[in-house]
Amino acid sequence: MRKSARYVSLAAAGLLALSSLTACANDAASSTADTGGGGGKGETVKIMVGGLDKVIYLPAMLTQRLGHFSAEGLNVQLLSEPAGVQAETALVSGQVQGAVGFYDHTLDLQVKGKAVESVVQFSHAPGEVEVVSDKAAGDLTSPKDFKGRKLGVTGLGSSTDFLTKYLAVKNGVRVSDFTPVAVGAGPTFIAALQKGAIDGGMTTDPTVATLLDKKAGKILIDMRTPEGSQEALGGPYPSSSLYMQTDWVNGHKDTVQKLVNAFVKTLKWMSTHSADEIAAKMPADFSQGNKTLYAQAIKNTLPMFTDDGVMPQRGPETVEKVLKAFNPNIKNAKVDLSRTYTTEFVKAVK
């Protein structure tokens, strides 16, 4: 009972931090439809991003800044939530037409009776990093040491939560043996690490680059590259993507094709430009006053991205294996992977 009370208290504190961060993010996102080529003209599509300033979701804002949405005749409104699980909720409830978040949500939703599919795959690696505080680094040297620890995730039920649980189970630690704490990303994550509210946690750039610069922690597991994904998860791990409700996709194929055209143009552009050039296209406040550090964060994360938006071979199987390792709902369910993504639109890009 005492452990349960502590868990609720920690979760509540994390959610309080998340609600504050969400408000800031949504204030910042309110004008994105008219930023760098959004233009406000054409068919309107609302997309919720699981953290608009996270480098793993960089293609969303970059596509708008490059003018690729407006070139396709779309008025895309980018909204932001600090965690992918909240972007998922916004999509399923009908608040938005698309979500930029991790592909693994499509499997999770399928077993809950929701038909959702990835229409363009941004990545073939998670882009996530497990970090540990300097204070805990001596005893916390691998996932085998997760037992009894408080580990930060963006939100409970988020992809960082999923991956943390998988790393634990893979290394002989039960999910009930440690406490996940919802601390968001950016300043809230770093503050939790510095104050000892968490011993370690999973996050992405630019949070990783910032905490290393502040000497607030160390890298335990790096999954920003396909090689890192292979080592930690046993294969390619398609993560950031644009996913949408299948019924909406089937009823709006022309619109979906335009969205996919725009995103694939951006992915190709990213593959031929430097991190400095990419950083220069992004909103000034994304660098948080340190352009050099922000460009470095992009450079460190670039290997995770595809250059064509195509689902990587064996990627869905890796994701299913990861989720089945700790999620009883998926472990005991039959998942039809062919319904969790489509290559129809990326193959039609000219």
Side-chain angles (χ1 to χ4, degrees):
M1 191 72 179
R2 190 176 302 166
K3 182 176 180 180
S4 175
R6 186 178 77 241
Y7 179 91
V8 171
S9 176
L10 287 166
L15 288 171
L16 182 62
L18 278 174
S19 65
S20 175
L21 191 61
T22 301
C24 295
N26 284 337
D27 288 345
S30 62
S31 63
T32 59
D34 297 317
T35 303
K41 295 181 180 180
E43 183 179 0
T44 297
V45 180
K46 293 182 180 180
I47 297 176
M48 185 66 78
V49 184
L52 201 52
D53 60 350
K54 294 177 184 177
V55 178
I56 57 171
Y57 300 140
L58 180 147
M61 178 58 79
L62 182 59
T63 300
Q64 194 168 75
R65 302 285 286 189
L66 292 173
H68 291 162
F69 289 137
S70 58
E72 292 288 335
L74 298 174
N75 171 33
V76 173
Q77 297 179 4
L78 297 175
L79 307 172
S80 186
E81 287 282 6
V85 65
Q86 292 159 317
E88 169 197 298
T89 300
L91 176 70
V92 173
S93 64
Q95 298 175 48
V96 295
Q97 289 76 53
V100 169
F102 269 38
Y103 160 72
D104 55 21
H105 290 291
T106 67
L107 281 74
D108 188 48
L109 285 168
Q110 186 184 115
V111 301
K112 294 174 181 175
K114 306 292 184 181
V116 174
E117 62 189 16
S118 165
V119 297
V120 55
Q121 197 62 46
F122 299 161
S123 59
H124 46 197
E128 301 282 354
V129 178
E130 183 73 23
V131 298
V132 58
S133 70
D134 285 344
K135 183 178 179 180
D139 299 319
L140 183 47
T141 60
S142 82
K144 294 178 181 179
D145 302 320
F146 281 180
K147 187 174 183 179
R149 299 292 185 172
K150 294 173 291 183
L151 300 175
V153 296
T154 52
L156 302 179
S158 67
S159 295
T160 52
D161 190 19
F162 291 166
L163 288 170
T164 300
K165 287 175 178 175
Y166 174 73
L167 291 175
V169 171
K170 180 187 176 185
N171 287 275
V173 179
R174 294 175 300 179
V175 295
S176 59
D177 287 340
F178 67 93
T179 304
V181 186
V183 291
T188 55
F189 184 98
I190 295 172
L193 199 66
Q194 290 177 318
K195 294 177 180 179
I198 55 175
D199 300 302
M202 191 170 292
T203 190
T204 61
D205 277 310
T207 305
V208 177
T210 302
L211 70 86
L212 291 177
D213 185 61
K214 291 177 176 289
K215 295 181 172 52
K218 300 175 181 177
I219 291 177
L220 193 65
I221 298 172
D222 193 339
M223 296 179 286
R224 290 176 291 187
T225 66
E227 295 78 14
S229 176
Q230 178 70 42
E231 183 178 350
L233 306 174
Y237 197 92
S239 56
S240 55
S241 63
L242 172 66
Y243 62 87
M244 314 179 87
Q245 296 203 60
T246 301
D247 284 346
W248 199 91
V249 172
N250 291 337
H252 300 80
K253 290 198 172 187
D254 287 346
T255 302
V256 176
Q257 187 64 62
K258 291 175 182 178
L259 285 167
V260 173
N261 290 346
F263 278 123
V264 172
K265 286 179 186 176
T266 297
L267 292 169
K268 290 186 183 299
W269 187 91
M270 289 170 60
S271 71
T272 59
H273 289 75
S274 69
D276 287 326
E277 291 171 319
I278 295 170
K281 291 289 184 181
M282 302 300 286
D285 60 339
F286 278 28
S287 67
Q288 299 179 1
N290 193 329
K291 293 181 179 179
T292 301
L293 194 63
Y294 182 58
Q296 184 61 48
I298 292 175
K299 183 178 181 180
N300 290 341
T301 305
L302 273 179
M304 73 174 279
F305 294 107
T306 69
D307 62 4
D308 55 11
V310 176
M311 175 65 73
Q313 288 188 348
R314 303 185 314 282
E317 289 80 5
T318 304
V319 173
E320 183 182 26
K321 179 196 71 174
V322 166
L323 296 182
K324 280 183 176 293
F326 67 86
N327 188 323
N329 294 330
I330 294 180
K331 184 176 182 179
N332 301 317
K334 172 64 177 175
V335 179
D336 185 349
L337 293 176
S338 68
R339 291 170 48 214
T340 61
Y341 71 97
T342 177
T343 58
E344 172 186 350
F345 302 99
V346 290
K347 287 182 177 179
V349 174
K350 298 177 181 177

